Each structure stands twice: as structure tokens, then as C-alpha cells.
Amino acid sequence: MKNGADFSDLRTRIISALALVFIGLALVWVGGDAFGVLLVIAAGLLGWETSRMHATPVLINYVFGLLLAALVLSAMFLPVLWTVVLAVLLLGAVFLGHKRPLAVLLSAVAITAGCYTLQILRSEFGIGWTLWLLVVVVASDVGGYFAGKMIGGPKILPRISPKKTWSGTVGGWVLAALVGFIAYSAGLGGAGIVLLSVLVAVAAQIGDLLESSMKRRSGIKDSSNLIPGHGGLWDRFDGTIGASCALGLVLALGGAGALGLV
């Protein structure tokens, strides 16, 4: 074990994580509009955190969050025309008061695509596949946390995320592959789900690094203080957004059948 491994924040992280898991799993289980509303609320809060990392006027943060929540709501439940109108309004808000509009725009696209993919995954592919995705993201995070703490070693991108190590990254991949193998053994999908689990874990880790880069450029430690021990929603769900975007791309490219998702 690496000397000086610090687990002082583990208790707070576990309590917060359990609360999030309880709420999330309950609404994933219910599915339908309840799960959609959860995603809309999450999109709004993620939009608010994104804006406050890059905007000077405080009012813009709330406007941007509300517009992003409305866009995700429209994409899920309303006619296309409303989605187009809201997308134009959101695009205008991106360039209104934000110091780094490109980062804000890319974040908004990722949030919208990620939330929409989660909704499609739950409504069209079922609870099994939804839980698989969420468990892979958690496995990537847990594997990375413990492997990084216990083994340590060279950093990946110390200027962006000083705590991220190669040992943690590989640990996340290994645990994600194990989740994929268990899912395959349980008959959830074809053998391709093992590789897909690793790719989803990679996407989750990329999402984590990109969010860390945004925070570092903004000079802040956490995206907000909404979740004790984890910071903000971005700090907890950056991996989920990255993983959902990657899976959404797989679905859009027609890879669902080849990977055993259908």
C-alpha cells in the first residue's frame, strides 16, 4: 500500500453516495416521467454549475440552468419546434456573459446528449441496461479511487487533475470489465458488452478529466457545494455524462445490435 494513503474523506463520500444511489435507483426503477423529471432537474443544475464556472453576472447562471433544463425537457417530451426554439435561446445565452463560450457550449451539448441518452436507454432498452451503465461508471470511479490511493504511481495529467494516476485509471478499467463480464454472464448482452464496459469507463474518465480542466481554468476546486464530500453535480456526474454521450454515439451509429444491446 502506498505510504500516507488518506481515506479521511471516505465516510462523507460514502454517506452522500448512498443518498444519491437511493434516490437515483428509486427513480430508475420507476422509470417513465419520474426518471425524465430527475434528468431535467439534473440538467438544470449541471447547466447552472457550468455557467457559474464561466460567467460573471450571477443572473446568467440561473437563466442558463433554466434554459438547459427546458431544452432537455423539450427534447424528451415536446414537439421538435420547441426544441429548436430553446436551442437557439440557449445558444444566445452561451455568448451572453460567459468568458469561455466554447467550453460552455460543449458542456451544454454533452449534458443534453447525456441526459437524452439515459432517457432513451431506460425507456427503450429497459432497467437492466440503465443499471449496467450506471454501475460501470461507479465501478470506474471506485476502481480508480482505491487503486490510485493504494498503489499510487505516475500521474496522468498532473496539471489538470493532480490526483489522477495511471494505476487508478487501469484499476477503473479492470473493475468496469468485471462488471461487463458479470452482465454478460447474467445474459444481459453479447460478449461485446465486456469491451463496451471498458470503452464506457474510458469515456467516463475522459468526462472527469474535461470537468477537471474546466475547474482548473476557472480557478475553483469544486463545481459547487451541492453534495457533501463530492462537491457539485458535475464533480459526481461528469463520468456519467461522458459515458452516456459515448453510449449515445454507439446507438446513433447503429452499434446496438452488434454489441448485444438489442
Side-chain angles (χ1 to χ4, degrees):
M1 180 181 292
K2 184 182 67 171
N3 292 333
D6 181 16
F7 294 95
S8 60
D9 62 339
L10 185 58
R11 182 174 180 272
T12 302
R13 287 172 64 90
I14 288 176
I15 293 173
S16 298
L18 287 175
L20 289 172
V21 166
F22 177 79
I23 296 171
L25 285 182
L27 293 176
V28 168
W29 181 267
V30 173
D33 291 348
F35 184 55
V37 169
L38 173 66
L39 293 174
V40 169
I41 293 172
L45 291 173
L46 288 168
W48 168 71
E49 289 184 347
T50 299
S51 184
R52 71 191 295 268
M53 281 193 279
H54 301 286
T56 302
V58 176
L59 181 61
I60 291 296
N61 304 337
Y62 298 100
V63 171
F64 188 81
L66 287 171
L67 280 174
L68 190 53
L71 178 63
V72 171
L73 175 68
S74 177
M76 291 179 182
F77 302 115
L78 301 179
V80 175
L81 178 61
W82 283 104
T83 305
V84 173
V85 171
L86 287 166
V88 172
L89 291 174
L90 185 70
L91 185 61
V94 165
F95 293 94
L96 183 63
H98 290 107
K99 294 174 288 186
R100 288 176 284 274
L102 180 59
V104 176
L105 177 61
L106 292 176
S107 297
V109 171
I111 293 167
T112 304
C115 290
Y116 184 73
T117 298
L118 282 169
Q119 174 70 3
I120 293 297
L121 192 64
R122 178 62 183 91
S123 62
E124 297 189 11
F125 294 89
I127 189 172
W129 281 104
T130 308
L131 290 176
W132 159 78
L133 178 68
L134 297 176
V135 171
V136 167
V137 173
V138 171
S140 174
D141 187 50
V142 170
Y145 180 80
F146 282 101
K149 289 284 189 182
M150 298 173 69
I151 300 173
K155 310 292 184 181
I156 299 179
L157 295 169
R159 292 185 179 181
I160 294 177
S161 186
K163 295 182 179 181
K164 294 288 188 302
T165 62
W166 279 108
S167 63
T169 299
V170 174
W173 295 348
V174 170
L175 202 55
L178 178 60
V179 171
F181 179 76
I182 292 172
Y184 169 64
S185 300
L188 184 62
I193 193 176
V194 178
L195 175 59
L196 182 61
S197 296
V198 177
L199 293 177
V200 163
V202 171
Q205 292 168 349
I206 291 173
D208 189 356
L209 288 171
L210 290 175
E211 194 252 348
S212 295
S213 177
M214 281 201 304
K215 289 190 297 184
R216 185 156 293 274
R217 293 189 65 184
S218 300
I220 59 175
K221 181 179 182 294
D222 298 318
S223 59
S224 74
N225 58 357
L226 288 175
I227 310 173
H230 295 277
L233 251 67
W234 258 127
D235 300 308
R236 182 65 275 161
F237 293 106
D238 48 10
T240 304
I241 294 298
S244 299
C245 287
L247 184 60
L249 183 60
V250 169
L251 296 176
L253 294 176
L259 292 168
L261 272 70
V262 293

